[in-house]
Amino acid sequence: MSSFYLTTPIYYASGEPHIGHAYTTILADVLARYRRRAGDDVLFLTGTDEHGQKIQEAAAEQGLSPLELCDLMAGRFEAVWETLGISHDRFIRTTEAEHVAVVRAMLERLRDNGFIYESEYTGWYSVGQERYFTEKEIGPERVDPIAGGPVERIREKNYFFRMSAFQERLIRHIEENPEWIVPRSRRNEVLGFLGRPLEDLSISRPRSRIHWGIPLPWDGDHVTYVWVDALINYVTASGAIDPAAPPGERGFGDPPRPSRWPADVHLMGKDIITTHAVYWPTLLMGADLPLPRRILAHGWWVVGETKMSKSIGNVVDPLALRELFGTDAVRWYLMREMPTGQDASYTPERFLARYDELRNIFGNLAHRTLSMVKRYRAATVPEGPADGLARETADAVAAYRRGIDGYRLHEGFAAAMDLARAANGFVEVQEPWAQARRPDGAADLDRTLATLVRTLGVLTCLFEPVMPEKSRELARRLGLAGVPRFGELESLEVGGLEVAVDAPLFPPADFPAA
């Protein structure tokens, strides 16, 4: 059994979950479920980022303490993830005592290694992004280049991490590992960023300005920069640092806490690729920790030509979509519609097109197959060969796995849907209703029905990562003990199963009239 450690970014606990959060987390969930179905030992991490100036100010505006606001928002995120079928193994909060201790331990290691120094900093600071920007980055309009929010000129004492010391080493790593950053466009973006001299990273903020953060171990008048705090959550959850051990003995995965580090995949939106592909690996280098094995940056959901944004008011609520169409339909749309790594445009028309695909191809195949088994064979799957779609099934499974393994999930699920199309075509060619009428058609009908049931059994495996509820329900209707794993597909036997016919998996649904 292989180990697989997968992370989402931890979401800032000052705003409600929206479709951007949902896409990232469902994408991670699909990868985690796929790996479990392939037999891997998975650690799937998500959580909330709970320190910093935005939390401090948002809590004050609501008459709450920062921790009260974080408790409230963490609960909302966990409730949404449960509703959307997210199967995370660990939900981390950066206010946890363990994480606070790990952050302090890692900062001490960076300082002991000679990579932390004190200096005065003057620059343009964005509260919205909780980071500094250069004069060139903010441009003549003097706004932050990510969200267009205001910036202010600040001069203060900070502690700095010697990020510049690792620039050449990081460039070599990216060039020698062309698949380390996916997709290639994001890799090129990071290399372009590294084509300019890399500045050192301010890792602290004075408590006189921001009190809601993790105090530096050596200077209680400063708190840890929220991005440094947040990135270290990946190490906290991995067990790589034991904060309870004495400073010189803090092992990196020593028993009795075997480490899951390095992460196999860090997953995030393209807007935070720099922090994950520059800040984070250099911090790891400074702390003598190995780098994550892959960084996967997906695109944005846009409405028309505009990125979804709460400030603009064009954010789509995934829970509202779920109420209309069901959880699995939302998950299907998000995975099927966006080519991993690229932007995609949300429209109600495209959502309905993908829902109709589920209804008319997959749902129709399931309903007509189960109905024919009930009608022609008293709801018992015939014994005998179920090989009528053997080549198509083998090709589809191979294409599906190539797609998912290559982080081209839309291609993988297209292959699965193509198998459902092929099975519907098989029905039209074989005409089981005609086979049932022929005196010599019993054996042919048995083969047709067994083939269709076996194909549906394979499809439950292929669709389970993206549609866990419907896949489990279909497996139940097929009489299977559960959704089969990939290692069980070749030997999947369906003869003698007792099937059940029920309401359509995907009932008619539509958006309410305007």
Side-chain angles (χ1 to χ4, degrees):
M1 180 183 293
S2 299
S3 174
F4 190 79
Y5 178 27
L6 168 71
T7 73
T8 73
I10 50 174
Y11 303 113
Y12 211 60
S14 63
E16 299 288 341
H18 56 66
I19 201 168
H21 300 128
Y23 175 79
T24 304
T25 313
I26 291 170
L27 175 56
D29 185 67
V30 168
L31 292 172
R33 289 178 181 274
Y34 167 74
R35 288 286 180 165
R36 294 187 192 110
R37 200 134 299 281
D40 291 345
D41 175 23
V42 172
L43 173 59
F44 168 20
L45 172 71
T46 191
T48 43
D49 178 4
E50 302 187 358
H51 288 126
Q53 188 171 354
K54 281 195 292 187
I55 297 291
Q56 180 178 307
E57 294 180 355
E61 288 173 4
Q62 298 179 44
L64 301 172
S65 71
L67 186 57
E68 286 174 333
L69 176 62
C70 292
D71 289 344
L72 177 67
M73 296 308 299
R76 288 182 185 174
F77 272 95
E78 289 203 81
V80 170
W81 297 158
E82 182 177 357
T83 300
L84 293 177
I86 305 302
S87 63
H88 53 278
D89 303 290
R90 172 86 158 88
F91 188 98
I92 194 168
R93 298 180 56 185
T94 56
T95 49
E96 293 176 11
E98 180 186 7
H99 176 71
V100 171
V102 169
V103 168
R104 291 166 64 87
M106 189 160 169
L107 290 175
E108 283 184 314
R109 174 170 283 236
L110 289 168
R111 188 164 180 255
D112 291 345
N113 287 349
F115 297 121
I116 303 294
Y117 66 93
E118 179 183 343
S119 184
E120 188 174 77
Y121 185 83
T122 302
W124 294 97
Y125 184 75
S126 163
V127 174
Q129 303 301 321
E130 299 209 31
R131 59 179 284 192
Y132 290 103
F133 292 102
T134 65
E135 193 89 30
K136 181 179 179 181
E137 287 175 317
I138 65 172
E141 297 84 8
R142 301 237 193 280
V143 295
D144 88 60
I146 295 176
V151 294
E152 57 182 310
R153 190 78 168 169
I154 288 181
R155 180 172 181 169
E156 61 189 15
K157 183 187 87 171
N158 281 178
Y159 288 91
F160 289 80
F161 165 59
R162 297 186 189 276
M163 190 162 66
S164 58
F166 301 96
Q167 181 167 7
E168 293 305 317
R169 181 176 165 188
L170 179 57
I171 290 172
R172 281 198 310 274
H173 180 80
I174 296 171
E175 291 178 342
E176 292 170 2
N177 299 274
E179 298 301 316
W180 187 59
I181 300 174
V182 178
R184 183 172 294 274
S185 58
R186 301 281 84 82
R187 175 179 179 269
N188 295 339
E189 178 184 322
V190 173
L191 285 173
F193 181 87
L194 292 169
R196 303 184 297 272
L198 191 60
E199 297 180 356
D200 290 344
L201 178 66
S202 171
I203 64 158
S204 74
R205 302 290 183 263
R207 292 191 76 172
S208 58
R209 184 162 63 86
I210 304 173
H211 64 79
W212 185 240
I214 299 174
L216 297 184
W218 61 86
D219 187 344
D221 290 333
H222 280 253
V223 297
T224 307
Y225 172 37
V226 67
W227 261 112
V228 174
D229 166 2
L231 288 165
I232 294 172
N233 93 91
Y234 303 133
V235 168
T236 301
S238 76
I241 295 178
D242 182 2
E249 301 175 14
R250 289 191 177 109
F252 289 83
D254 294 338
R257 290 189 51 158
S259 173
R260 299 294 289 262
W261 193 259
D264 290 277
V265 177
H266 281 328
L267 175 64
M268 81 287 307
K270 65 180 183 179
D271 51 329
I272 53 175
I273 183 66
T274 302
T275 50
H276 282 82
V278 178
Y279 295 10
W280 182 223
T282 55
L283 286 165
L284 290 167
M285 290 173 181
D288 301 317
L289 278 170
L291 303 191
R293 295 190 174 99
R294 179 157 290 155
I295 294 172
L296 174 59
H298 65 73
W300 286 337
W301 283 97
V302 298
V303 177
E305 300 297 323
T306 307
K307 179 192 174 187
M308 285 190 188
S309 167
K310 184 172 68 173
S311 61
I312 296 174
N314 64 349
V315 172
V316 176
D317 182 359
L319 296 185
L321 288 174
R322 175 196 172 274
E323 289 297 320
L324 292 171
F325 299 94
T327 296
D328 282 4
V330 175
R331 291 170 61 103
W332 173 255
Y333 171 76
L334 294 176
M335 295 301 103
R336 184 80 164 92
E337 190 69 9
M338 178 184 278
T340 313
Q342 301 178 28
D343 291 348
S345 178
Y346 169 82
T347 68
E349 293 77 14
R350 289 302 303 162
F351 190 98
L352 286 175
R354 290 305 184 192
Y355 187 74
D356 287 345
E357 180 180 50
L358 288 177
R359 285 189 60 225
N360 298 331
I361 300 171
F362 182 42
N364 179 53
L365 174 67
H367 193 71
R368 72 197 304 198
T369 296
L370 294 170
S371 297
M372 287 189 293
V373 173
K374 180 179 179 181
R375 179 179 181 183
Y376 298 127
R377 291 296 181 264
T380 300
V381 181
E383 302 282 355
D387 56 359
L389 289 166
R391 180 181 58 79
E392 293 87 346
T393 299
D395 290 348
V397 171
Y400 172 94
R401 299 205 67 176
R402 281 195 305 272
I404 308 295
D405 287 338
Y407 301 101
R408 300 181 305 278
L409 278 73
H410 60 293
E411 293 182 9
F413 292 124
M417 190 58 75
D418 284 344
L419 178 58
R421 283 192 181 88
N424 278 315
F426 180 77
V427 173
E428 301 307 318
V429 170
Q430 297 300 314
E431 296 184 326
W433 48 89
Q435 291 173 337
R437 291 196 300 267
R438 292 203 316 262
D440 60 347
D444 290 338
L445 179 59
D446 286 350
R447 179 173 179 264
T448 297
L449 297 178
T451 293
L452 292 171
V453 171
R454 188 182 187 282
T455 303
L456 284 172
V458 172
L459 287 170
T460 65
C461 175
L462 303 188
F463 283 128
E464 190 276 341
V466 67
M467 296 188 291
E469 290 181 10
K470 299 297 185 182
S471 295
R472 287 193 297 267
E473 171 59 20
L474 180 56
R476 182 193 68 79
R477 295 184 190 187
L478 293 172
L480 295 168
V483 176
R485 296 179 179 270
F486 286 103
E488 300 168 335
L489 293 183
E490 286 192 15
S491 59
L492 183 62
E493 295 290 340
V494 298
L497 293 178
E498 297 289 330
V499 307
V501 180
D502 212 326
L505 288 173
F506 302 97
D510 203 346
F511 287 95

